[in-house]
Amino acid sequence: MKLLTLNFLTCARKTCKSAPSSFPLHPREAELEVVQADVNLAFLKNILPRLMWGELRTITGELGLPTLPDTAPERSALFTAAAAVSETTTPGVDPEAIDAPEHPAPVEEPEETPTQTAIDLHRILLETCIKEGKLVCGNCGHEYAVKEGVANFLLPGHLV
Amino acid sequence: MSRPEDTLPPDLFYNDTESRKYTTSSRIQKIQSDMTHRALALLQLRSPSLILDVGCGSGLSGEILSNDAEEGTPGGPHVWIGFDISASMLGVALEKEVEGDLFLADAGQGVPFRPGTFDAAISISAVQWLCNAETSEESPAGRLSRFFNGLYASLRRGGRAVCQFYPKNDLQKKMVSSAAVKAGFGAGLLEDDMGTKNAKTYLVLTVGGGEMDGDITGVVRGMDGVDVHDDRRRIKNRKGEDKKGSKAWIMRKKEQMESKGKVVKTNSKYTGRKRRIAF
Ligand SMILES: C[S@@+](CC[C@H](N)C(=O)[O-])C[C@H]1O[C@@H](n2cnc3c(N)ncnc32)[C@H](O)[C@@H]1O
Ligand SMILES: [Zn+2]
């Protein structure tokens, strides 16, 4: 299971729905695996505002991964736009304003290169996977087993 | 033709042998691919999105989401998360090394994600299975309601879902779409090749708010062979208006009774059978 998924998955029990501690699920005895994937910059830009950064930090901490920065990166820190934009941006011009037009064209976006920040984020969210172990609900303590990267969220009838 | 749904629960029907047979059939590959493309056309995604695939099976539907626009996936490549009730199907997906993230879960138990997780969701040829409850404690209506309530909450405002499914009959079609409407979705049914043995039913669902056009009639109107059933007008009446004793009021009461489980199967052949969980 990718850490991306873990940043959205909650305990499946109905009684845990409204309990804040049912998210995030906490990995235990986790064996990690890195599965390579192509960097998808447009996806990273899309998902960034939806991440719960504090919880991502908690999880990476629990997994013994390098500590993440206190706050999520800015969207503008994920890419350098086109060759035309040099390292030093023109003073007084907000790079966000250039890079995020109000009505983005459907396809033809200017060539953008992912920064190291984007590549690191990609590595954490989309390439770092829990291969074996379990995920534990902080509210009810239920343990979801993970085998071959697949978590078992089937609840026994009495827990549904 | 017999319906597999009427023979066994899904996790037993899709065992190792059947899962392999299903996935390697070039006829099935083609049909699932065509239907996934149809669903994608209805989702109208413009950029790489986070998509849920409900009943993803061995990944025949999901793997198309990972393609880019040039390969025929609008807005792609998308990132997807899929779940399925059959460990064997997921096993085949693992062997194929699909790019989506997979987990084992029963849609009839809900959708375990925090609110507003997904830009969109698809479900290809799976939802009809929810109409067969496997134990006496569960009713199809209850399972459908848990599924659609969970799906609704897991989508972003302005998000969409497309569920292609094989309704057994009109009653089942209605039971499924009304469960979606009750969960809060704007819903429309799109039927391809209506009246033929290749008929395909797509339930197109929208979540109000956000920048996307939340009006379902706008989504499917004007497409070939589209039959729009907008259930929302009737639902709106629900909120009050109807005079007690009027025909509309009686109809509403009747529907409420129906939704309270009049279609509940009291028992089934599979009651008490051990479920296979271990991989
Ligand atoms: C015909 S297959 C379709 C698989 C895949 N979507 C495709 O297009 O190839 C139907 C799938 O729905 C799954 N399914 C049935 N009931 C389910 C449930 N309650 N929860 C999750 N998946 C379910 C089955 O295990 C099976 O993999
Ligand atoms: Zn819990």
Side-chain angles (χ1 to χ4, degrees):
Chain A
M1 170 164 295
K2 297 180 168 80
L3 296 195
L4 172 79
T5 306
L6 204 50
N7 200 249
F8 292 98
L9 205 53
T10 64
C11 181
R13 293 179 67 177
K14 210 163 63 188
T15 44
C16 286
K17 261 255 145 81
S18 50
S21 57
S22 66
F23 175 83
L25 298 171
H26 301 279
R28 293 282 149 75
E29 295 151 41
E31 187 187 312
L32 296 180
E33 177 186 35
V34 171
V35 179
Q36 268 177 9
D38 294 338
V39 177
N40 187 337
L41 181 57
F43 175 77
L44 290 174
K45 290 200 275 183
N46 174 10
I47 205 72
L48 184 63
R50 244 178 290 171
L51 295 174
M52 303 259 295
W53 192 260
E55 285 74 2
L56 185 64
R57 282 189 91 227
T58 307
I59 296 302
T60 51
E62 288 174 5
L63 290 171
L65 294 166
T67 312
L68 296 181
D70 287 348
T71 54
E74 293 289 320
R75 187 177 186 274
S76 57
L78 295 181
F79 56 95
T80 46
V85 179
S86 61
E87 289 293 316
T88 52
T89 34
T90 327
V93 176
D94 175 9
E96 279 275 13
I98 304 170
D99 299 327
E102 287 212 336
H103 302 286
V107 215
E108 300 301 330
E109 290 202 4
E111 267 309 308
E112 290 170 348
T113 335
T115 56
Q116 190 57 46
T117 305
I119 293 166
D120 291 346
L121 191 60
H122 169 78
R123 168 57 63 114
I124 294 159
L125 293 174
L126 292 134
E127 293 188 326
T128 309
C129 305
I130 298 178
K131 189 164 188 239
E132 300 286 331
K134 45 196 165 190
L135 303 171
V136 184
C137 172
N139 187 54
C140 71
H142 189 75
E143 296 182 349
Y144 299 93
V146 183
K147 289 186 181 142
E148 297 202 57
V150 176
N152 181 356
F153 271 68
L154 289 175
L155 290 174
H158 66 284
L159 293 184
V160 173
Chain B
M1 209 168 65
S2 82
R3 293 170 56 85
E5 298 82 14
D6 294 333
T7 64
L8 284 172
D11 48 338
L12 296 180
F13 179 79
Y14 291 106
N15 59 18
D16 289 353
T17 317
E18 182 60 32
S19 298
R20 201 163 301 278
K21 212 171 89 192
Y22 174 89
T23 312
T24 52
S25 155
S26 54
R27 185 182 64 87
I28 288 174
Q29 288 169 2
K30 168 89 167 65
I31 299 172
Q32 301 311 111
S33 159
D34 288 350
M35 293 190 296
T36 307
H37 282 110
R38 183 67 151 144
L40 273 164
L42 292 163
L43 288 177
Q44 298 179 351
L45 298 167
R46 279 170 293 172
S47 52
S49 303
L50 184 61
I51 305 182
L52 176 68
D53 185 352
V54 178
C56 62
S58 52
L60 292 181
S61 46
E63 63 191 1
I64 288 162
L65 307 174
S66 306
N67 291 342
D68 61 28
E70 270 134 63
E71 294 162 309
T73 295
H78 303 292
V79 173
W80 60 279
I81 299 174
F83 72 84
D84 200 281
I85 200 170
S86 156
S88 301
M89 280 294 234
L90 294 178
V92 177
L94 282 184
E95 280 171 23
K96 294 203 304 171
E97 301 190 339
V98 297
E99 287 171 63
D101 216 9
L102 308 168
F103 67 100
L104 187 66
D106 174 0
Q109 297 185 335
V111 179
F113 288 93
R114 59 181 169 87
T117 294
F118 298 102
D119 295 295
I122 61 162
S123 179
I124 307 296
S125 317
V127 170
Q128 71 278 356
W129 284 97
L130 290 176
C131 299
N132 297 54
E134 288 116 54
T135 69
S136 53
E137 308 124 57
E138 297 180 303
S139 70
R143 288 169 58 74
L144 282 167
S145 136
R146 259 201 303 269
F147 167 58
F148 283 113
N149 284 325
L151 183 66
Y152 184 84
S154 76
L155 287 165
R156 304 179 73 188
R157 302 310 88 180
R160 275 185 197 166
V162 175
C163 304
Q164 177 278 325
F165 70 110
Y166 292 111
K168 185 177 188 169
N169 48 38
D170 278 354
L171 185 76
Q172 207 173 76
K173 200 187 289 182
K174 195 144 186 288
M175 181 163 79
V176 170
S177 50
S178 67
V181 172
K182 274 180 205 130
F185 282 111
L189 279 173
L190 181 155
E191 321 234 69
D192 283 344
D193 303 319
M194 239 207 286
T196 76
K197 70 175 181 7
N198 295 321
K200 298 285 180 314
T201 304
Y202 297 81
L203 179 62
V204 187
L205 303 172
T206 57
V207 179
E211 90 243 31
M212 258 183 166
D213 177 10
D215 184 359
I216 185 59
T217 51
V219 179
V220 290
R221 187 161 288 150
M223 294 188 74
D224 286 345
V226 170
D227 182 20
V228 176
H229 302 261
D230 194 346
D231 277 339
R232 283 171 305 166
R233 225 165 301 117
R234 190 165 42 72
I235 291 301
K236 265 192 202 118
N237 288 338
R238 238 163 239 246
K239 294 259 148 74
E241 252 74 301
D242 307 339
K243 246 174 102 190
K244 196 170 175 178
S246 71
K247 186 169 176 219
W249 183 84
I250 294 166
M251 292 302 286
R252 178 161 60 89
K253 279 286 160 208
K254 268 184 123 162
E255 270 188 37
Q256 282 173 355
M257 309 261 286
E258 259 171 31
S259 75
K260 281 192 185 128
K262 289 280 134 82
V263 256
V264 178
K265 259 206 237 159
T266 48
N267 215 327
S268 84
K269 282 186 280 184
Y270 313 109
T271 308
R273 182 180 290 201
K274 262 231 174 68
R275 306 281 294 256
R276 212 183 101 215
I277 312 173
F279 287 93

